[in-house]
Amino acid sequence: LTKKNIKITTEKLICQDGNTCLVCSGLYTFHYTDNNTRLSRPARFTFIFKEEPDAAWQILHHHSSELPD
């Protein structure tokens, strides 16, 4: 997004631990200003994280898409 004053709120988050991988999915809403109008766009997301040998987590994949009307 190239909009101004972007804020994100998370409504739902589900995480499943796969030992060295973690899958998180849920719903969030992007709140932003466009032409002096405050708008909100609900979306769904998925993140896949992998635990590295140094115990840090790396994002392997991310997908986000706007919810259909």
Side-chain angles (χ1 to χ4, degrees):
L1 291 173
T2 58
K3 309 297 182 190
K4 295 180 180 179
N5 301 318
I6 296 174
K7 293 185 182 182
I8 300 170
T9 56
T10 303
E11 286 85 33
K12 182 177 180 182
L13 177 65
I14 298 171
C15 293
Q16 296 177 326
D17 187 355
N19 204 4
T20 60
C21 286
L22 184 65
V23 178
C24 295
S25 61
L27 302 174
Y28 50 20
T29 302
F30 290 89
H31 307 275
Y32 60 93
T33 303
D34 188 20
N35 293 323
N36 294 323
T37 302
R38 195 74 180 146
L39 301 170
S40 296
R41 297 279 189 219
R44 56 188 162 216
F45 65 89
T46 303
F47 282 93
I48 300 175
F49 300 93
K50 179 182 180 214
E51 187 174 18
E52 296 295 323
D54 63 358
W57 288 86
Q58 177 184 354
I59 298 172
L60 294 180
H61 176 76
H62 166 252
H63 174 78
S64 182
S65 59
E66 188 172 354
L67 287 177
D69 292 332

